[in-house]
């Protein structure tokens, strides 16, 4: 069923299906069909990169080596298809996540944008068993890594990478098709977590504003085979910002390496897959104002291997740290998750038309239209800027306004709203206030389009204290328009909506005084874990700090001039003072630069179960800041096998008390999944259990 309400009207590409259970009767897990696909998008021909420069002349195909595997990091497209079949009616929604810095809805060269890909995939779905499929049922998002081939210009000449753009469009289309082809009967568990420390902290560092609300929301959808219990896929929208590896041009000029990197998302996906099996699909949530200080951490990593004789920077330590932190929160979310019992699947979309109020962004988009960009390069203090390659004709542009799709998907009682760029966390906050979805409201950042930053008008005076906010971000109204569109779509999909709560956070909600204070940030590798064999649990702790932001407007790398009266140096910073919550303390020195400085990694050992409040503090220029994150330690985890009749049963002793996953290895070498297994022959049965912290324990018994 398709309903079109004009060029900028609402399009619904789904029929809202009522729950299958009878009124008053507890609902069991809804049975969907779920498929997943992974496709390689490593460049075979040298490509110009995006992030902080285009890389070497002529581009590169060289990739960072994963220090955990010794193999080059892979760039991929990962797609998941979810289908509901009810009374003969098929409804499908799909999500794809791309290792790309950004991808426009439409391009000047032809049908290679996200909108073209979604239209092609929807057409394929209609001809292969899903007759009501529409573009409104598909969300395609970019992970916004900063060391990957650029397909939107700005950081590199757009025309130089058109071949890669075509490859990306064709591969993503195939991945969406293949995911649907791979679908099989499945149940889905949905879990959520709130981890604001993943989205950065109150640290004076590029792209962040002190005292601003963070969106720490994480949602995980875990699809398992309805018959065997084997994991098919885990889809995650998380708040951390994949901007740790700079790639093309180290922002501070400390390395001459120019290597492609997938940043931390691939590491988080690998950890999730190692614990749960199947394919993990990571997507970004809110992005703007969420960058962690790790993107400025350039202290050397002597414990990591070298690439062609050049030492790798500390970024490799940091992507492993962030990948572990994200994965740990996925496990915690799923441990407290619930099966989706409502089989509703639906999608709705609007083309939002927003006035372009930023002249710099307008110049990048409009003045660059039709220009190959080779000679059009205004200089900034960070990098050369080329025109972007986005189409600027309807429906992508209307004179002095930009047009962009906003899509909302309904999966059971959960709502996912696309954000066409990197939006501040208050956009998701406003969506959650306005849309009453029992399963929660979450955003997929960098989705359907990539229009840079979204900041409301009152932010403009503060962009001098940031990074490149003055350059990128077309419209001061786009955030509120996205919220309104998401609410309208959610209402069309059957959710209750309060339209009076549709504005993003106002200027009065921010704590501006923090920019006159020192900032500190704390990132544990895990916030919940079990005692190990030696009765210890040792999370890896990392802290970062900066002097007061008010002194740092002078350091804004996007400014074309240095403001008068800037101090020659920042105030002395550090050391870091630690309180581990168990009565012990430590002091660690400052390393790195005077600005955006870091503590060495601290591996603190806990020996007893409990909740420990870990606090780190630092002083600079007479101002002190501290941050506290709770660390939860559980008893050691043990996997015990008991027998009753012809069955073996998994008993989890210790751990966090949540049996997240159980895998059996039978005497014939085959595997089965779930809390129990039928025994058909003699021999050794092995059991691996995973609890809600992601800890694994192994047990066995000889029958």
């Amino acid at each position: 069923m398709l309903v079109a309400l004009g060029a900028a009207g609402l399009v619904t590409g789904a029929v809202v299906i009522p729950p299958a259970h009878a009124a008053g009767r507890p609902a069991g897990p809804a049975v969907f069909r779920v498929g997943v696909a992974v496709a390689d998008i490593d460049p075979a021909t040298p490509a110009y990169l995006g992030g902080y420069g285009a890389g070497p002349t002529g581009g590169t195909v060289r990739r960072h080596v994963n220090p955990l595997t010794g193999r080059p990091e892979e760039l991929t497209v990962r797609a998941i298809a979810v289908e509901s079949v009810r009374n003969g009616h098929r409804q499908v929604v799909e999500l794809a996540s791309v290792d790309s810095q950004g991808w426009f809805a439409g391009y000047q060269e032809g049908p290679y944008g996200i909108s073209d890909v979604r239209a092609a995939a929807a057409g394929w779905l209609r001809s292969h068993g899903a007759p009501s499929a529409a573009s409104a049922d598909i969300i395609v998002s970019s992970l916004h890594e900063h060391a990957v081939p650029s397909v939107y210009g700005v950081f590199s000449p757009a025309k130089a990478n058109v071949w890669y753009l075509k490859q990306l469009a064709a591969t993503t289309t195939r991945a969406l098709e293949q995911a649907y082809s791979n679908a099989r009967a499945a149940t889905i568990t949905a879990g959520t977590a709130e981890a604001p420390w993943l989205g950065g902290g109150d640290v004076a560092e590029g792209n962040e504003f002190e005292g601003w609300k963070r969106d720490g929301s994480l949602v995980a959808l875990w699809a398992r085979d309805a018959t065997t219990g084997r994991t098919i896929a885990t889809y995650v929208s998380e708040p951390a910002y994949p901007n740790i590896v700079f790639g093309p041009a180290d922002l501070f000029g400390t390395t001459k390496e120019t290597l492609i990197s997938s940043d931390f998302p691939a590491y988080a996906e690998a950890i999730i897959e190692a614990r749960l099996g199947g394919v993990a699909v990571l997507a970004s949530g809110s992005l703007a104002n969420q960058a962690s200080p790790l993107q400025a951490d350039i202290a050397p990593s002597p414990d990591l291997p070298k690439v062609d004789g050049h030492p790798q920077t500390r970024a490799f330590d940091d992507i492993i740290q962030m990948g572990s932190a994200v994965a740990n929160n996925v496990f915690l979310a799923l441990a407290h998750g619930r099966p989706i019992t409502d089989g509703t699947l639906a999608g709705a979309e609007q083309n939002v038309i927003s006035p372009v109020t930023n002249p710099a962004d307008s110049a990048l988009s409009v003045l660059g239209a039709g220009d190959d960009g080779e000679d059009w390069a205004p200089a900034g203090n960070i990098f050369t800027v080329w025109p972007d390659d986005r189409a600027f004709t309807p429906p992508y542009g209307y004179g002095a306004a930009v047009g962009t799709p906003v899509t909302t998907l309904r999966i059971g009682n959960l709502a996912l709203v696309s954000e066409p760029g990197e939006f501040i966390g208050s956009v998701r906050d406003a969506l959650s206030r306005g849309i009453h979805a029992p399963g929660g409201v979450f955003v997929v950042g960098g989705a359907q389009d990539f229009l840079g930053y979204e900041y409301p008008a009152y932010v403009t005076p503060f962009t001098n204290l940031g990074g490149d906010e003055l350059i990128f971000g077309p419209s001061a109204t786009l955030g509120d328009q996205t919220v309104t569109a998401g609410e309208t779509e959610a209402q069309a999909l059957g959710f209750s909506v309060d339209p009076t709560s549709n504005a993003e956070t106002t200027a009065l909600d921010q704590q501006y005084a923090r920019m006159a204070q020192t900032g500190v940030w704390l990132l544990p590798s895990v916030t919940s874990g079990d005692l190990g064999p030696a009765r210890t649990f040792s999370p890896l702790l990392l802290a970062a700090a900066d002097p007061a932001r008010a002194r740092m407007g002078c350091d804004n790398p996007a400014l074309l001039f240095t403001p008068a009266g800037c101090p020659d140096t920042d105030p002395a910073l550090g050391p870091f003072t630690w309180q581990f919550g168990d009565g012990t303390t430590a002091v660690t020195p400052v390393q790195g630069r005077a600005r955006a400085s870091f503590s060495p990694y601290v591996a603190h050992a806990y020996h007893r179960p409990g909740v420990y409040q870990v606090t780190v503090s630092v002083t600079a220029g007479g101002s002190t800041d501290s941050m506290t994150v709770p660390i939860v330690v559980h008893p050691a985890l043990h996997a015990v096998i008991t027998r009753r009749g012809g069955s073996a049963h998994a008993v989890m002793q210790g751990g966090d008390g949540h049996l997240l996953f159980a895998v059996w290895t039978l005497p014939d070498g085959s595997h089965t999944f779930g809390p129990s297994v039928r025994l058909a022959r003699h021999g050794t049965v092995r059991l691996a259990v995973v609890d809600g912290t992601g800890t694994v324990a192994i047990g066995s018994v000889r029958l």
Side-chain angles (χ1 to χ4, degrees):
M1 178 178 69
L2 294 177
V3 180
L5 302 178
L10 177 65
V11 176
T12 59
V15 175
V16 179
I17 305 171
H21 62 279
R25 182 184 303 169
V31 177
F32 301 90
R33 285 175 50 81
V34 178
V36 68
V38 180
D40 178 276
I41 53 171
D42 294 323
T45 301
Y48 288 87
L49 307 187
Y52 295 101
T57 301
T60 185
V61 296
R62 298 180 64 216
R63 289 175 280 146
H64 282 288
V65 173
N66 182 328
L68 303 180
T69 66
R71 298 189 299 270
E73 296 176 10
E74 301 285 351
L75 303 184
T76 62
V77 173
R78 295 169 179 246
I80 180 172
V82 183
E83 183 181 44
S84 180
V85 182
R86 191 80 55 77
N87 299 323
H89 176 82
R90 294 177 178 271
Q91 182 58 48
V92 61
V93 299
E94 289 196 284
L95 297 117
S97 184
V98 184
D99 280 320
S100 174
Q101 191 190 14
W103 191 359
F104 290 136
Y107 281 80
Q108 300 169 27
E109 286 80 17
Y112 310 120
I114 291 179
S115 293
D116 304 296
V117 167
R118 294 192 300 129
W124 187 93
L125 290 171
R126 288 194 296 272
S127 64
H128 288 77
S132 65
S135 294
D137 303 322
I138 302 171
I139 289 180
V140 176
S141 62
S142 301
L143 278 162
H144 200 45
E145 297 113 331
H146 282 59
V148 291
S150 170
V151 294
Y152 57 52
V154 180
F155 297 103
S156 62
K159 299 299 186 292
N161 276 5
V162 170
W163 67 270
Y164 187 77
L165 171 64
K166 295 178 180 179
Q167 172 187 325
L168 188 62
T171 304
T172 304
T173 304
R174 287 196 301 271
L176 289 164
E177 296 169 356
Q178 190 62 50
Y180 182 74
S181 297
N182 292 341
R184 59 187 186 272
T187 59
I188 301 177
T189 295
T192 65
E194 189 67 25
W197 53 88
L198 293 179
D202 291 331
V203 179
E205 189 272 330
N207 299 332
E208 291 192 302
F209 304 115
E210 285 64 38
W212 285 54
K213 288 187 175 180
R214 299 299 195 270
D215 176 13
S217 63
L218 179 149
V219 60
L221 302 175
W222 183 21
R224 286 173 284 177
D225 189 290
T227 301
T228 67
R230 181 188 293 268
T231 296
I232 299 171
T234 309
Y235 179 87
V236 179
S237 173
E238 55 80 29
Y241 193 105
N243 189 17
I244 298 174
V245 183
F246 289 131
D250 186 298
L251 186 58
F252 307 109
T254 60
T255 176
K256 298 184 183 302
E257 290 289 351
T258 304
L259 302 175
I260 296 169
S261 174
S262 60
D263 215 281
F264 75 81
Y267 291 78
E269 289 167 341
I271 295 171
I272 295 167
E273 291 171 353
R275 301 294 192 275
L276 303 181
V279 174
V281 182
L282 214 68
S284 294
S286 301
L287 285 168
N289 197 39
Q290 300 266 130
S292 81
L294 294 178
Q295 67 169 296
D297 184 5
I298 57 173
S301 297
D303 56 319
L304 293 173
K306 296 180 179 181
V307 177
D308 293 348
H310 296 284
Q312 297 177 346
T313 65
R314 181 165 176 173
F316 292 91
D317 280 340
D318 295 339
I319 57 179
I320 295 170
Q321 178 84 349
M322 184 64 83
S324 175
V326 169
N328 180 244
N329 278 275
V330 170
F331 301 136
L332 296 174
L334 292 176
H336 297 87
R338 295 289 184 269
I340 294 179
T341 59
D342 182 344
T344 301
L345 295 177
E349 181 171 300
Q350 294 178 69
N351 192 53
V352 171
I353 301 174
S354 188
V356 176
T357 56
N358 183 346
D361 191 85
S362 179
L364 286 171
S365 300
V366 181
L367 298 182
D371 187 348
D372 64 12
E374 295 292 347
D375 300 318
W376 196 87
N381 288 345
I382 296 183
F383 40 67
T384 299
V385 179
W386 282 265
D388 69 36
D389 198 29
R390 190 179 187 274
F392 212 79
T393 55
Y396 310 111
Y398 300 84
V402 64
T404 191
V406 175
T407 306
T408 300
L409 298 184
R410 177 172 180 171
I411 302 176
N413 280 322
L414 180 144
L416 290 170
V417 182
S418 72
E419 291 184 343
E422 41 186 316
F423 281 30
I424 61 176
S426 57
V427 169
R428 188 259 174 179
D429 185 45
L431 285 165
S432 296
R433 292 197 310 269
I435 301 172
H436 305 300
V441 181
F442 299 90
V443 298
V444 183
Q448 313 297 59
D449 206 346
F450 205 90
L451 298 179
Y453 301 111
E454 186 288 312
Y455 290 105
Y458 63 80
V459 178
T460 303
F462 299 92
T463 56
N464 283 333
L465 301 175
D468 48 12
E469 292 86 357
L470 283 172
I471 302 175
F472 306 113
S475 171
T477 65
L478 183 57
D480 282 335
Q481 289 178 283
T482 297
V483 172
T484 301
E487 290 183 334
T488 303
E489 293 160 8
Q491 191 168 38
L493 299 179
F495 290 115
S496 173
V497 170
D498 177 7
T500 64
S501 300
N502 66 354
E504 57 181 294
T505 306
T506 67
L508 297 179
D509 291 323
Q510 313 299 353
Q511 301 175 30
Y512 302 110
R514 288 208 47 90
M515 69 180 181
Q517 303 174 18
T518 297
V520 71
W521 179 76
L522 170 62
L523 177 69
S525 58
V526 294
T527 57
S528 181
D530 306 334
L531 294 174
R535 296 193 59 79
T536 60
F537 170 65
S538 301
L540 206 58
L541 307 172
L542 178 66
D546 273 343
R549 170 72 118 209
R551 297 176 61 89
M552 291 173 51
C554 305
D555 299 317
N556 183 346
L559 291 177
L560 303 180
F561 59 90
T562 300
C566 284
D568 293 332
T569 60
D570 291 315
L573 182 71
F576 293 85
T577 301
W578 298 83
Q579 296 178 346
F580 298 112
D582 59 357
T584 63
T585 61
V587 176
T588 56
V590 170
Q591 60 183 38
R593 307 173 315 115
R595 182 166 75 86
S597 297
F598 293 79
S599 73
Y601 281 99
V602 175
H604 183 72
Y606 294 95
H607 303 285
R608 295 182 179 83
V611 179
Y612 300 92
Q613 303 294 330
V614 177
T615 299
V616 64
S617 60
V618 71
T619 298
S623 172
T624 299
D625 191 31
S626 64
M627 181 175 177
T628 299
V629 175
I631 302 292
V632 183
V633 182
H634 303 283
L637 177 66
H638 300 281
V640 178
I641 300 173
T642 63
R643 295 179 58 188
R644 289 196 299 272
S647 298
H649 301 268
V651 176
M652 190 183 72
Q653 295 180 349
D656 75 338
H658 295 90
L659 177 58
L660 186 59
F661 201 47
V663 182
W664 300 85
T665 303
L666 302 181
D668 62 0
S670 63
H671 299 285
T672 189
F673 306 85
S676 62
V677 63
R678 294 287 300 175
L679 302 175
R681 63 173 63 190
H682 296 290
T684 300
V685 174
R686 292 181 173 83
L687 168 67
V689 298
V690 182
D691 74 354
T693 71
T695 303
V696 180
I698 307 293
S700 65
V701 64
R702 184 168 181 81
L703 306 178

